Amino acid sequence: MPGETVWKRVVIVGVGLLGGSIGLALRQRRLAEQVIGVGRVGHAPRAAVECGAVDAALDRLEVAACEAELVICCAPVQQIPELVEACAAVMPPGGLITDVGSTKATLVEQIESGPAQSHFCGSHPMAGGTASGVQHARADLLVGKLVVVTPSVATPPGLVERTEQLWQALGARTCRLSPAEHDAAVACTSHLPHIVAAALAGATPLELLPLTASGWRDTTRVAGGNAHLWRQILEENRLPALRALENFAKVLNQWQSALERGDGHALEQLLDAGKAIRDSLGS
Amino acid sequence: MPGETVWKRVVIVGVGLLGGSIGLALRQRRLAEQVIGVGRVGHAPRAAVECGAVDAALDRLEVAACEAELVICCAPVQQIPELVEACAAVMPPGGLITDVGSTKATLVEQIESGPAQSHFCGSHPMAGGTASGVQHARADLLVGKLVVVTPSVATPPGLVERTEQLWQALGARTCRLSPAEHDAAVACTSHLPHIVAAALAGATPLELLPLTASGWRDTTRVAGGNAHLWRQILEENRLPALRALENFAKVLNQWQSALERGDGHALEQLLDAGKAIRDSLGS
């Protein structure tokens, strides 16, 4: 892309899989003069320097952010408002803060009730993986992926474009949704699958595990994710997740009823409906 | 394994992914003098010959089976009793018939009500894959996998051992379950995951598919399977599948209640319970 912005100092807060991959991509694509990593819990992320994900690591967010042009918060979602406020308090005028939090309405509401609003535009990259940690970071993690940018009515318009340009420069596609639209969508596409996978694993007697095959393994894979992080996500997005679960329970009732009646035709219709949607995505 | 049986003529009925992989393995391991493929619908499976999965293809089961020492039925589960009876009617004394059907109680009951019983011992290999068709067959598909052998009280004991030896010679492990025990187990470990995956895909609005990531993709993968075959499986295993679904719905109710109450502690317990079981399997 011609004429791409080169950011002066970029600070990545929380340099794990996603933060590390963003750092690697910024550096390899020469999109930043300097990329600084800050640890999530006040420790300088030295592993991120060793991996080449950042140029340098600092342990104090205020020190890192005071000359930053861009801060990307890759911390757990419930810590993001506080981190955004801390950055906004020391950043130069015009500095942009975005995040990668997987829920948005609560977070944006908290940030917009304070002075950080003039710096902040939310983001949610639809990218991740089974492995966590900066050692699994890849410069191409975001290439071809979708990043949802979630401005609210209060977000300064210039910030929205700059946020979109950031992700596009890293190889991602972007779309805009309001924080509430975003949360309802990811409740369906991400939080409900996690609940379903964890419930399915939890409903399986341990002694039957030797009788599982690839179907069980794939369907339950995400249940192996970090339970504490997922608690936070579900707490943040409680009502949209509940609506998605209620809707799923209705579909499951149709299955139960078809099995009770021994209605093979209804079962095949339900199977076809699921297959049609699954197949329309590709493998 | 020293002194492994070499079967004289083995007939594979239905040479798809599983039947083809069995044929490849029998031939590569030199466990059969001759492997004959019979098509599921009366057509000689020429593709199986081209793939090297069988030595020759025949279109008439009776012709293939009349000199067979071993027949392995890899057809859809509802066709198996009829195929087993047709084979048993022409096979030499002492001939063994087994199958790979994924439900067992109904099938065994049907077979045991007729004369084929003295030839038959059921099997269910816990192996498969996303791809179907003989072109995806692999000689090592069964290596290290579990095959459940499902004798009933009426199965002649010698047949059970010969069936186990067959699978072990192909590199699989074996265990024995009664047909009813088997069906209750796979309802939990295979049929319920399929229902859940298809229900999850079916509950996802098409317009949200661009917002799905690897979590949704993995959790719904099996929903892309053959709907007509799955209808048969669920019809055959209706009551065990219904019991498994009812049990799953109870676990899902706990999730719903925790979300309604906003009970983060309960959510984390549910997440932990699912993760513990998922993690005990490995990736």
Side-chain angles (χ1 to χ4, degrees):
Chain A
M1 208 180 291
E4 269 174 346
T5 313
V6 174
W7 304 87
K8 290 197 177 65
R9 174 183 275 198
V10 179
V11 173
I12 298 174
V13 189
V15 197
L17 174 69
L18 196 48
S21 297
I22 293 168
L24 281 174
L26 283 168
R27 295 186 69 220
Q28 286 191 10
R29 291 168 181 248
R30 301 184 188 286
L31 293 166
E33 289 176 11
Q34 191 187 37
V35 180
I36 305 286
V38 176
R40 275 185 268 199
V41 285
H43 294 288
R46 307 209 189 288
V49 182
E50 282 155 25
C51 292
V54 297
D55 295 297
L58 288 173
D59 56 4
R60 290 188 52 208
L61 179 58
E62 293 78 1
V63 175
C66 69
E67 291 180 13
E69 196 182 359
L70 168 64
V71 175
I72 307 169
C73 288
C74 304
V77 67
Q78 287 177 344
Q79 296 171 24
I80 291 174
E82 196 181 332
L83 293 169
V84 169
E85 277 159 38
C87 292
V90 299
M91 268 181 108
L96 168 65
I97 309 174
T98 189
D99 74 320
V100 302
S102 49
T103 62
K104 284 288 175 277
T106 310
L107 181 155
V108 168
E109 204 175 298
Q110 284 180 266
I111 291 168
E112 289 193 342
S113 66
Q117 181 213 305
S118 61
H119 290 282
F120 182 78
C121 178
S123 303
H124 180 201
M126 299 281 141
T130 44
S132 61
V134 70
Q135 66 276 21
H136 297 109
R138 304 187 338 246
D140 65 352
L141 187 75
L142 287 165
V143 173
K145 300 288 167 40
L146 184 70
V147 179
V148 185
V149 175
T150 60
S152 74
V153 286
T155 309
L159 290 192
V160 187
E161 276 91 46
R162 286 167 69 203
T163 305
E164 289 173 335
Q165 283 158 10
L166 163 69
W167 298 115
Q168 289 165 9
L170 296 174
R173 297 169 294 120
T174 60
C175 75
R176 290 185 200 184
L177 290 177
S178 75
E181 288 168 337
H182 166 273
D183 285 3
V186 295
C188 268
T189 60
S190 166
H191 307 168
L192 178 63
H194 197 95
I195 291 171
V196 163
L200 182 60
T204 308
L206 258 182
E207 65 272 20
L208 292 186
L209 285 190
L211 290 162
T212 58
S214 59
W216 192 92
R217 210 161 29 240
D218 287 350
T219 314
T220 59
R221 181 186 64 78
V222 295
N226 183 315
H228 191 66
L229 279 189
W230 273 96
R231 170 193 176 157
Q232 290 191 18
I233 291 170
L234 294 176
E235 284 182 321
E236 288 270 319
N237 207 29
R238 188 173 74 84
L239 288 176
L242 181 59
R243 292 293 99 78
L245 179 54
E246 287 166 347
N247 179 51
F248 177 71
K250 278 184 204 152
V251 176
L252 221 51
N253 268 335
Q254 298 172 13
W255 284 84
Q256 193 164 327
S257 160
L259 282 170
E260 277 164 1
R261 299 195 312 273
D263 185 342
H265 181 67
L267 285 173
E268 193 160 346
Q269 282 187 319
L270 288 164
L271 287 159
D272 278 334
K275 180 173 167 58
I277 291 173
R278 183 59 179 78
D279 286 352
S280 70
L281 185 74
S283 58
Chain B
M1 209 180 289
E4 271 174 345
T5 313
V6 174
W7 304 86
K8 290 194 178 65
R9 173 183 275 198
V10 179
V11 173
I12 298 175
V13 188
V15 197
L17 174 70
L18 196 49
S21 296
I22 292 167
L24 281 174
L26 283 167
R27 295 186 70 221
Q28 286 193 11
R29 291 169 181 249
R30 303 183 187 285
L31 293 166
E33 289 175 11
Q34 191 187 38
V35 181
I36 304 286
V38 176
R40 275 183 269 197
V41 284
H43 294 289
R46 308 209 189 287
V49 182
E50 282 156 25
C51 291
V54 298
D55 295 298
L58 289 172
D59 56 4
R60 290 189 51 208
L61 179 58
E62 294 77 1
V63 175
C66 69
E67 292 180 12
E69 196 183 0
L70 168 65
V71 175
I72 308 170
C73 289
C74 304
V77 68
Q78 286 176 343
Q79 298 171 23
I80 291 173
E82 196 181 332
L83 293 169
V84 169
E85 276 158 38
C87 292
V90 299
M91 267 182 109
L96 168 65
I97 310 173
T98 189
D99 74 320
V100 301
S102 49
T103 63
K104 285 289 174 276
T106 309
L107 181 154
V108 168
E109 204 175 298
Q110 285 179 264
I111 291 168
E112 289 192 343
S113 66
Q117 181 212 303
S118 61
H119 289 283
F120 183 76
C121 177
S123 303
H124 179 201
M126 299 282 141
T130 43
S132 62
V134 70
Q135 67 275 21
H136 296 109
R138 303 188 338 246
D140 65 351
L141 188 75
L142 287 164
V143 173
K145 299 289 165 43
L146 184 70
V147 179
V148 185
V149 176
T150 61
S152 73
V153 286
T155 309
L159 291 191
V160 188
E161 276 90 46
R162 287 167 69 204
T163 306
E164 289 172 336
Q165 283 158 12
L166 163 69
W167 299 115
Q168 288 164 10
L170 297 175
R173 296 168 295 119
T174 60
C175 74
R176 289 185 201 185
L177 291 177
S178 75
E181 287 169 338
H182 166 273
D183 286 2
V186 295
C188 267
T189 60
S190 168
H191 308 168
L192 178 62
H194 197 95
I195 291 170
V196 163
L200 182 60
T204 308
L206 259 183
E207 66 271 20
L208 293 186
L209 284 189
L211 290 163
T212 58
S214 59
W216 191 92
R217 207 160 33 239
D218 288 351
T219 313
T220 59
R221 181 185 63 78
V222 295
N226 184 314
H228 191 66
L229 279 188
W230 273 97
R231 169 192 177 158
Q232 290 192 16
I233 291 170
L234 294 176
E235 283 182 322
E236 288 271 320
N237 207 29
R238 188 173 74 84
L239 288 176
L242 181 58
R243 291 292 100 76
L245 180 53
E246 288 166 346
N247 179 52
F248 177 71
K250 278 184 202 152
V251 176
L252 221 52
N253 268 335
Q254 296 172 14
W255 284 85
Q256 194 164 326
S257 158
L259 282 170
E260 278 163 2
R261 300 196 311 274
D263 185 343
H265 181 67
L267 286 172
E268 193 160 346
Q269 282 187 320
L270 289 164
L271 287 159
D272 278 334
K275 179 173 168 57
I277 292 172
R278 183 59 181 77
D279 286 352
S280 70
L281 186 74
S283 58

